[in-house]
Amino acid sequence: GEKVPLATNSVDAMLSVNAIDHVDDVRQVAKETDRVLVPDGIILVEAHYHDPTSLEPWALNDSVMKEAFCSRSLVKAMERPFDSLYPTYPERKHELLTVWTNRPEMVGG
C-alpha cells in the first residue's frame, strides 16, 4: 500500500479490512490512497487497535487514523471490542475493531 502501481485519480474506492496495522508506514498508505482515489472516492477502513507486534507494527488509535487520513476527512463510523467478534480470544478484550470512512451513511450498525 505504500507504493500503489496505479495512476493518480484512477480508483473509485479503497477498502481495507483488518490490514492497515500490518503495513510498514500507515501515513504513506494514506498518502497513496489519497493520490490514487478520485476526488469523491470512497474510503472504508477497518482498523484493529492493539499493541504492536512483529507482524503488526502499528499501535493504531483514533489520533493516528485522523492524522494519517486527514486529507479525506475520515470519521469513525463504528467501534467494537475485538472479542465481541472473536470470543475465542477473551485475553484480547482490550483490543478494538474500528471502522473509518468518508461515507458514514454507508456503514450499518
Side-chain angles (χ1 to χ4, degrees), residues 24-45:
D24 291 328
D25 189 340
V26 169
R27 290 173 184 90
Q28 183 59 35
V29 170
K31 285 179 186 175
E32 277 294 275
T33 297
D34 190 44
R35 182 185 68 77
V36 300
L37 271 179
V38 296
D40 63 342
I42 299 167
I43 300 175
L44 186 67
V45 177

Side-chain angles (χ1 to χ4, degrees), residues 9-92:
N9 295 329
S10 64
V11 175
D12 292 322
M14 186 277 264
L15 171 66
S16 172
V17 178
N18 194 5
I20 197 94
D21 58 308
H22 293 264
V23 302
D24 291 328
D25 189 340
V26 169
R27 290 173 184 90
Q28 183 59 35
V29 170
K31 285 179 186 175
E32 277 294 275
T33 297
D34 190 44
R35 182 185 68 77
V36 300
L37 271 179
V38 296
D40 63 342
I42 299 167
I43 300 175
L44 186 67
V45 177
E46 180 192 60
H48 183 187
Y49 290 7
H50 59 80
D51 294 332
T53 69
S54 61
L55 297 177
E56 300 169 316
W58 281 88
L60 296 178
N61 58 47
D62 290 355
S63 296
V64 171
M65 293 299 292
K66 284 179 191 175
E67 185 270 324
F69 289 94
C70 64
S71 66
R72 293 290 177 146
S73 302
L74 295 193
V75 297
K76 184 165 57 172
M78 186 182 298
E79 179 176 275
R80 297 179 282 196
F82 184 85
D83 65 339
S84 71
L85 291 175
Y86 302 99
T88 56
Y89 297 98
E91 71 279 4
R92 299 176 85 174

